[in-house]
Amino acid sequence: MSSENTLTITPTILPESTFTTPTPPLQNSRIAVNPHLPRDIPLEKISTRSGHTPSYDLPRWLRRAMSPIALVLLWHIASVSGLLPASILADPLSVLSSAIDLWQSGELPDAIHVSLQRTLLGLAVGGSLGALLAIFAGLFRLGEDIIDSPMQMLRTIPNVALIPLLIIWFGIGEEPKVALIALATAFPLYLNIYSGIRNVDQSLIEAGRTLGLSSWGLIRHVILPGALPSVLVGIRYALGVSWLALVFGEQINATAGIGYLLNTAREMFQTDVIVVCLVVYALLGLAVDLIVRLLEKVLLAWRPSFTGH
């Protein structure tokens, strides 16, 4: 047989760089990626519609004030139109006039001073007690076994139900009012601080031990900073509860304070003075909440958090 027609084929090996995987086209994509842009672009700078950045014409403080202003306007319109009689609720102008008169006479500043003094004293006593118990129960298993169960039982008792006992124990002076506020603020701080300590990441504890930190060093540099967000939440909650306890506490034979003005106005059917006292309670609560927010910004500057779109 002749081999003249035999065809010899030598395979050619191509380099790997010549083989490319085709990139599928982006489906329904409207975002063009620019490799020269920085990667750490804030979320609020990214828009999902037509590539525009969301913008607001009004400053944020004004937008936050629009809803309260709208409520006051609705209140004024209802009062002027007769839908809300003055015997049920005084109109905003009458409330403002009463507030000015009470301030000029000195009754309102004195009442605010007395109520603030009661609240801060009760918060100092209750907050200190709750924080110490939470730290002891959170750091040590023995403390948890001794303290946590009684605290969980006592926190379910309504504070108002303790008023008769407080009157029997302390009389009708300032002591039962301060004690009621202290009891109301101790439990929120205890729960939040205890939870914050127990929720510290265990890997951070192990890392601190690996670096040679002592027990006090772990508490100071790892556990307490890790529990700080929960501590501040507990403070905010305790401040809100303190004003609620103050309202009940000032019902106990009070001769001064915002609650005293409130009770006197109730007996005289002065709805304008009642609204003034309620607004003062609200403004004081808002003021202390803003103080805690500023503390959060200062003390938690090391912890970035989501602030909304």
Side-chain angles (χ1 to χ4, degrees), residues 2 5 17 22-23 27 34 38 46 49 61 79 99 104 106 152 155 175 182 187 203 208 230 237 276 288-289 292:
S2 176
N5 297 327
S17 59
T23 303
Q27 300 294 331
N34 189 343
I46 301 176
R49 295 183 179 180
W61 64 269
S79 299
Q104 290 178 347
Q152 296 297 338
R155 75 181 181 87
E175 291 81 3
F187 295 109
S203 60
S230 296
Y237 187 63
V276 170
V288 294
D289 186 72
V292 179

Side-chain angles (χ1 to χ4, degrees), residues 2 109 118 147 199 235 252:
S2 176
R118 290 170 179 161
I147 296 173
N199 287 329
I235 292 175
I252 308 173

Side-chain angles (χ1 to χ4, degrees), residues 93-106 108-109 276:
L93 294 179
S94 299
V95 172
L96 180 60
S97 177
S98 298
I100 295 174
D101 293 339
L102 289 172
W103 187 270
Q104 290 178 347
S105 65
L108 190 57
V276 170

Side-chain angles (χ1 to χ4, degrees), residues 33-108:
V33 180
N34 189 343
H36 300 289
L37 290 177
R39 294 181 180 272
D40 53 345
I41 302 177
L43 290 175
E44 61 269 16
K45 298 298 184 180
I46 301 176
S47 175
T48 57
R49 295 183 179 180
S50 67
H52 294 292
T53 301
S55 59
Y56 303 99
D57 297 329
L58 298 177
R60 191 175 182 185
W61 64 269
L62 183 57
R63 286 188 283 118
R64 292 173 66 94
M66 287 177 65
S67 52
I69 293 174
L71 290 176
V72 174
L73 288 176
L74 290 175
W75 176 18
H76 178 70
I77 292 172
S79 299
V80 171
S81 62
L83 295 176
L84 190 62
S87 58
I88 297 177
L89 186 64
D91 61 276
L93 294 179
S94 299
V95 172
L96 180 60
S97 177
S98 298
I100 295 174
D101 293 339
L102 289 172
W103 187 270
Q104 290 178 347
S105 65
E107 293 182 68
L108 190 57

